[in-house]
């Protein structure tokens, strides 16, 4: 397996972990879980189909990608490897609210900002090696996950700290924001 494919696999695993934890939570262990049944938030945007591959290439991504689709909440994801520095990144359109992401106690927010006129939260996921840049786009969220590897054998070439990952997440989301839709 190539280094870029390994990074993409790590990014996909990180997103899968977060998605599974969010989807499998109970009233007592997940701040986003509720006891009422609500209709899923419909999301039609899919980063693998709708995100500008030209824009991704311009900010350093290898265009080979892995596609994921999940239910409860609806999540359409696309994972890529970034070349320099090295890391895996997953772009997801998710059927959940921005407020539910902010309320998730497993996320430690580094920065709250506005990018391209939209609310954004940049936060480290404490249950893994990811930083999430979450943008509020109706009816759900657009989320970018950047992996970091504190045990990398190539620390001069890879993202190795949460600070680096969160800096990359904000930089990439800022560059791609003009290419994102008005609605997911």
């Amino acid at each position: 397996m190539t280094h870029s494919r390994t990074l993409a696999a790590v990014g996909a695993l990180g997103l899968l972990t977060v998605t599974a934890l969010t989807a499998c939570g109970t009233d007592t262990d997940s701040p986003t879980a509720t006891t009422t049944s609500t209709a899923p938030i419909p999301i039609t945007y899919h980063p693998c189909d709708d995100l500008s591959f030209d824009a991704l290439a311009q900010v350093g991504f290898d265009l080979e990608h892995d596609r994921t689709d999940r239910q409860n909440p609806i999540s359409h994801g696309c994972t890529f490897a970034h070349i320099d520095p090295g890391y895996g990144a997953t772009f997801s359109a998710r059927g959940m609210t921005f407020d539910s992401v902010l309320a998730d106690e497993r996320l430690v927010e580094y920065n709250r900002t506005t990018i391209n006129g939209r609310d954004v939260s940049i936060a480290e996921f404490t249950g893994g090696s990811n930083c999430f840049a979450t943008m509020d786009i109706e009816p759900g969220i657009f989320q970018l996950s950047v992996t970091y590897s504190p045990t990398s054998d190539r620390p001069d070439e890879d993202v190795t700290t949460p600070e680096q990952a969160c800096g990359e997440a904000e930089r990439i989301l800022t560059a791609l924001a003009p290419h994102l839709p008005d609605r997911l």
Side-chain angles (χ1 to χ4, degrees), residues 136-151:
D136 190 9
I137 302 178
E138 290 296 324
I141 60 164
F142 182 83
Q143 193 169 63
L144 165 60
S145 169
V146 171
T147 61
Y148 62 92
S149 177
T151 60

Side-chain angles (χ1 to χ4, degrees), residues 115 120 133 135 142 144 168-177 180:
I115 297 175
V120 172
M135 181 178 275
F142 182 83
L144 165 60
E168 277 293 296
E170 187 169 356
R171 179 183 77 81
I172 297 300
L173 188 59
T174 299
L176 296 179
L180 295 176

Side-chain angles (χ1 to χ4, degrees), residues 45 47 50-61 63 80 82 87 89-91 115-116 118 135 137 142-144 168-181:
Y45 180 86
D50 303 317
L51 193 56
S52 168
F53 279 27
D54 288 340
L56 286 168
Q58 287 177 359
V59 291
F61 284 99
L63 296 183
F80 297 88
H82 193 270
Y87 59 86
T90 300
F91 300 87
I115 297 175
N116 212 33
R118 295 185 171 127
M135 181 178 275
I137 302 178
F142 182 83
Q143 193 169 63
L144 165 60
E168 277 293 296
E170 187 169 356
R171 179 183 77 81
I172 297 300
L173 188 59
T174 299
L176 296 179
H179 302 281
L180 295 176

Side-chain angles (χ1 to χ4, degrees), residues 9-155:
V10 169
L13 181 59
L15 179 66
L16 175 62
T17 301
V18 173
T19 302
L21 289 170
T22 301
C24 295
T26 65
D27 251 5
T28 58
D29 65 6
S30 174
T32 59
T34 61
T35 56
T36 60
S37 63
T38 59
I41 297 172
I43 302 294
T44 58
Y45 180 86
H46 199 300
C48 285
D49 300 330
D50 303 317
L51 193 56
S52 168
F53 279 27
D54 288 340
L56 286 168
Q58 287 177 359
V59 291
F61 284 99
D62 178 342
L63 296 183
E64 285 189 44
H65 60 279
D66 295 316
R67 181 185 188 103
T68 56
D69 293 296
R70 294 188 173 67
Q71 301 299 317
N72 196 20
I74 292 171
S75 179
H76 303 303
C78 205
T79 301
F80 297 88
H82 193 270
I83 309 306
D84 184 22
Y87 59 86
T90 300
F91 300 87
S92 299
R94 302 188 70 200
M96 55 193 311
T97 67
F98 188 71
D99 288 340
S100 70
V101 173
L102 296 178
D104 192 328
E105 294 174 353
R106 298 166 299 174
L107 296 174
V108 175
E109 190 169 67
Y110 276 78
N111 186 21
R112 177 92 51 90
T113 189
T114 301
I115 297 175
N116 212 33
R118 295 185 171 127
D119 292 331
V120 172
S121 173
I122 311 291
E124 178 188 4
F125 177 61
T126 59
S129 299
N130 299 74
C131 184
F132 291 93
T134 304
M135 181 178 275
D136 190 9
I137 302 178
E138 290 296 324
I141 60 164
F142 182 83
Q143 193 169 63
L144 165 60
S145 169
V146 171
T147 61
Y148 62 92
S149 177
T151 60
S152 172
D153 59 353
R154 302 171 347 149

